[in-house]
Amino acid sequence: MARAKKTITIHVRDDREKEEFLKEVQRLRLPAFIYVHGKLNDLKVNVQGTKDEIREALRKIREIHNRVKAKLYPDRRGFYHYTVDDLLREAGASVSTPILVKTLELLGESVELRENELVTSLPWDDAVKLVEKLGEVLSEVALSTTRQIREVVLPVAVVYDLDPDEVMDKLVELGLAEWKEDKFKYELVKNKEQALEELLKALKGEEDEDRGHQA
């Protein structure tokens, strides 16, 4: 099949957008040959291959650029759009989506999940740091917890800056979780929504008490 060549220009606002775009393009696995030449706020993208290969490559490149802009810049409502997969890959962590969504909610951020896309008020860089922190906490408790209790422990530990072991001890103290000797794991006694609600209420009570002593 005849080979062809096509060149398009991608306009970027700043170096950050340029870096993110180039990083994503490097991850592409396409039969077409892609060469990118950057200067100032323009990127010249040369694509070589068959007509079908070029068409597919250009579609992917435009898709990548739209994704990069959506995660770096807020929309008219002030929200950022990024996929959960991109976020986990960038942070190098494997945190579950329910944990991530609940953490954002506890932080007071707006968050909406559309299939695999997060629409949130939290900027991309802050979201990456948040997932990195969640990943660190997960590595500490993964072997001693069930999936359900992690959905309570991780968000609370990160948002309140607590040691995850402290959070689990508090859950046990409140009668919301117990240690299963036969499984070597902590498990929730109540459902996760109820456990989280009661745990947060107890933590708020402690905060109020501390403030009362300081007054």
Side-chain angles (χ1 to χ4, degrees), residues 9-197:
T9 301
I10 298 286
H11 301 287
V12 295
R13 298 189 204 180
D14 51 33
D15 287 342
R16 180 67 199 285
E17 183 181 338
K18 188 186 297 183
E19 288 167 13
E20 287 292 330
F21 174 77
L22 291 172
K23 189 162 62 177
E24 290 294 334
V25 168
Q26 286 172 353
R27 290 191 178 117
L28 273 181
R29 294 288 181 267
L30 294 170
F33 173 75
I34 299 171
Y35 172 73
V36 182
H37 176 65
K39 54 180 186 179
L40 294 177
N41 294 332
D42 286 340
L43 293 169
K44 298 284 186 187
V45 183
N46 297 301
V47 185
Q48 296 176 29
T50 66
K51 285 185 178 180
D52 286 344
E53 288 169 353
I54 289 173
R55 192 181 301 113
E56 174 67 7
L58 292 179
R59 184 184 69 78
K60 288 277 190 185
I61 285 166
R62 290 190 178 98
E63 186 182 281
I64 282 172
H65 191 217
N66 287 335
R67 216 166 71 227
V68 167
K69 287 189 292 183
K71 78 182 183 185
L72 292 183
Y73 311 122
D75 63 17
R76 289 176 184 176
R77 297 187 301 156
F79 294 156
Y80 301 84
H81 298 244
Y82 34 81
T83 68
V84 175
D85 290 342
D86 284 349
L87 192 54
L88 298 183
R89 182 177 61 195
E90 186 70 23
S94 57
V95 178
S96 75
T97 302
I99 286 174
L100 177 55
V101 170
K102 182 52 67 178
T103 307
L104 288 167
E105 289 173 350
L106 289 184
L107 284 169
E109 300 290 345
S110 295
V111 56
E112 183 184 340
L113 187 64
R114 300 176 184 169
E115 293 185 357
N116 192 40
E117 181 187 56
L118 278 175
V119 181
T120 176
S121 53
L122 189 68
W124 168 254
D125 287 341
D126 293 337
V128 172
K129 290 175 187 169
L130 179 65
V131 173
E132 286 173 349
K133 181 63 178 171
L134 285 167
E136 290 171 12
V137 176
L138 176 61
S139 66
E140 292 180 44
V141 302
L143 296 177
S144 61
T145 54
T146 61
R147 180 177 56 82
Q148 291 283 323
I149 198 171
R150 284 197 289 270
E151 291 183 19
V152 175
V153 172
L154 266 68
V156 170
V158 168
V159 172
Y160 286 82
D161 195 24
L162 296 170
D163 186 291
D165 287 332
E166 282 183 52
V167 180
M168 287 189 288
D169 287 345
K170 192 68 183 172
L171 285 167
V172 172
E173 180 189 319
L174 294 168
L176 303 171
E178 61 184 10
W179 171 255
K180 294 286 188 180
E181 195 68 49
D182 55 331
K183 299 177 184 176
F184 298 103
K185 288 182 187 294
Y186 286 95
E187 284 187 3
L188 288 178
V189 174
K190 299 187 177 181
N191 67 55
K192 62 187 179 186
E193 290 81 10
Q194 191 177 356
L196 182 60
E197 184 183 345

